[in-house]
Amino acid sequence: MADQPQKSALRWLAGLAVVTGLSVIGAVTAVLTQQSATEVRFEPKPFFEDLETGINKAERIVYTIGKGLSGESKITLKRKEGEGWVLDQRFDFPAKPELVRKLIVGLVELEAFEPRTANPEWHRPLGLTAPEDLGRAVRIEVLDGEGARLAALLAGEVVEDTQDAQGRGLLYARKDGDDQAWLARGRLPLLKNVSEWLDLKVFELPREEVKRTVLWAESEEPVIIARESAEETNFTLSNAPEGRTGRGAAIVNGSATALVGLVPEDVIPDTNLSFDEGPLAFTETFSGLRLNVRMTGSADVLWAKIYAEADPALVPESGDLDAVRARADAINARTRGWAFRLDQPTAVKLAQSMQAITRPSDADGLKTGK
């Protein structure tokens, strides 16, 4: 009978544990219920609720980028009748249509995803301090024809690795003039250099079309690189001086196809430069198109005027001279009046002299392009 009190005590302790456990669960449940009742559930909404109906009135889009103590820079896109969107900072040269479309759609579809701080003192860590206040925010303004704002946004830090299946990412943003910061969701191009907006792919030239390229065409020692058919992989240096040969297929082929895939780095009106005595290079196609590149500048910065022409003598019997002329006209419509800054690799390939592109033929047994 001595163990009866002990068993009673154990049963009492077990009962107390159950009651205590139920009390804890009840307390936690009460706290969670209270939190759920008081918690604000935010549903994402359009950042600019009326922009979808008003975006067709957009005539100008202005990016303002802070440069710290150096002040600010601007990128101004404007709608030009009959030409689409152009860059004000590049004398109305066309902007990339797909990039402008991405920007406009991105602004319309941008969502206020979650509210963040409304305290201006916390804007700087989020990249939301205005450019004029030495901040990193990019101001994007959409203006109508009268200069009235349709939308104005300060875009801050982009949250890395947050892109969803639709390509939308997260960034911090606030409406210009409003202290309330948001975690926004969408797709916005935040390119900060004018040249990134320029539509500089002014012609298409597939490698298989290239028949012949001539460097220093008007000099006493032009460099002529050619092949007989599109099936030939390598080009041959046609007029190497006696005792010299090309420096190898990679170098010769590189100069022959220098204009293939060309995308210049920048553009200015050609009246800003003198091309009177600049070197000429050109590439001819099997269809009869000739692309001429007149250059000026230095080894560091080379500018080019590009113009196209159809050469009846080059058009094959089965060819279409009218189609070649139409292609040349389309290219000239894009390039006429402009000077294009060539990237360094292209400049080097087009500036190869006969001395630079050849070596003594007795150095080894290799033949150019073989």
Side-chain angles (χ1 to χ4, degrees):
M1 301 295 293
D3 61 347
Q4 188 65 35
Q6 185 176 5
K7 290 181 179 179
S8 298
L10 290 172
R11 283 197 297 272
W12 181 83
L13 289 173
L16 178 62
V18 171
V19 172
T20 302
L22 291 173
S23 298
V24 171
I25 292 172
V28 171
T29 302
V31 170
L32 291 176
T33 302
Q34 183 179 12
Q35 285 181 342
S36 177
T38 58
E39 184 181 69
V40 177
R41 295 187 179 278
F42 185 81
E43 292 293 330
K45 63 180 182 179
F47 208 91
F48 299 105
E49 295 185 358
D50 300 325
L51 188 58
E52 185 173 6
T53 56
I55 195 64
N56 289 333
K57 299 177 183 177
E59 295 291 333
R60 189 179 293 262
I61 302 173
V62 182
Y63 274 54
T64 303
I65 301 103
K67 297 287 187 180
L69 296 176
S70 299
E72 307 164 7
S73 66
K74 290 186 182 293
I75 299 172
T76 305
L77 299 156
K78 61 184 183 183
R79 197 198 300 264
K80 194 170 183 179
E81 188 173 354
E83 298 184 33
W85 289 89
V86 298
L87 271 297
D88 188 57
Q89 285 77 17
R90 288 299 183 273
F91 307 90
D92 293 355
F93 192 85
K96 293 175 181 174
E98 69 280 4
L99 194 54
V100 178
R101 188 161 44 249
K102 181 179 179 181
L103 168 59
I104 291 173
V105 173
L107 287 170
V108 170
E109 295 183 348
L110 188 67
E111 290 182 331
F113 190 65
E114 289 180 359
R116 288 295 185 261
T117 182
N119 185 347
E121 294 182 3
W122 287 98
H123 286 167
R124 194 171 294 278
L126 302 179
L128 291 177
T129 302
E132 61 270 20
D133 296 326
L134 305 182
R136 301 192 309 276
V138 176
R139 177 181 284 111
I140 305 174
E141 301 170 273
V142 183
L143 311 172
D144 65 16
E146 303 299 320
R149 279 181 167 185
L150 300 173
L153 168 78
L154 287 168
E157 296 294 328
V158 175
V159 183
E160 299 293 337
D161 301 322
T162 58
Q163 196 171 83
D164 63 14
Q166 300 176 47
R168 300 175 301 179
L170 298 175
L171 74 156
Y172 294 104
R174 64 184 177 96
K175 292 180 180 178
D176 196 14
D178 188 348
D179 289 336
Q180 177 63 56
W182 297 87
L183 188 61
R185 180 170 65 179
R187 289 166 289 196
L188 280 181
L190 298 175
L191 306 177
K192 299 180 181 181
N193 296 314
V194 174
S195 59
E196 294 178 287
W197 291 88
L198 296 169
D199 187 14
L200 290 169
K201 184 119 178 120
V202 292
F203 61 81
E204 294 284 347
L205 181 66
R207 189 184 193 278
E208 57 267 22
E209 288 193 31
V210 178
K211 178 179 182 180
R212 188 171 78 126
T213 293
V214 180
L215 314 178
W216 301 94
E218 298 171 336
S219 70
E220 294 181 358
E221 198 172 41
V223 177
I224 302 173
I225 311 167
R227 60 179 175 174
E228 292 298 320
S229 70
E231 286 69 37
E232 293 184 44
T233 301
N234 294 318
F235 292 79
T236 299
L237 184 58
S238 304
N239 63 332
E242 186 177 351
R244 297 188 69 83
T245 188
R247 288 188 178 273
I251 294 175
V252 173
N253 290 342
S255 287
T257 60
L259 299 185
V260 172
L262 176 66
V263 181
E265 293 184 328
D266 211 338
V267 62
I268 58 174
D270 61 12
T271 53
N272 290 11
L273 299 167
S274 174
F275 289 88
D276 292 343
E277 299 180 1
L280 173 69
F282 62 79
T283 290
E284 296 169 342
T285 70
F286 288 103
S287 64
L289 180 73
R290 181 183 290 116
L291 285 167
N292 301 281
V293 181
R294 178 75 68 178
M295 293 166 280
T296 190
S298 64
D300 296 326
V301 181
L302 198 61
W303 293 86
K305 287 178 63 173
I306 300 170
Y307 59 99
E309 58 186 320
D311 188 342
L314 297 176
V315 179
E317 292 183 4
S318 59
D320 186 342
L321 178 59
D322 289 338
V324 178
R325 283 174 173 161
R327 183 180 177 187
D329 290 343
I331 293 171
N332 292 333
R334 294 291 315 279
T335 62
R336 187 180 293 112
W338 299 103
F340 300 91
R341 191 177 77 196
L342 302 178
D343 61 90
Q344 190 70 14
T346 300
V348 170
K349 292 172 185 176
L350 290 175
Q352 289 277 17
S353 65
M354 182 64 78
Q355 185 68 25
I357 205 170
T358 62
R359 55 171 172 74
S361 56
D362 58 357
D364 55 49
L366 295 176
K367 297 297 183 181
T368 303
K370 300 298 184 182

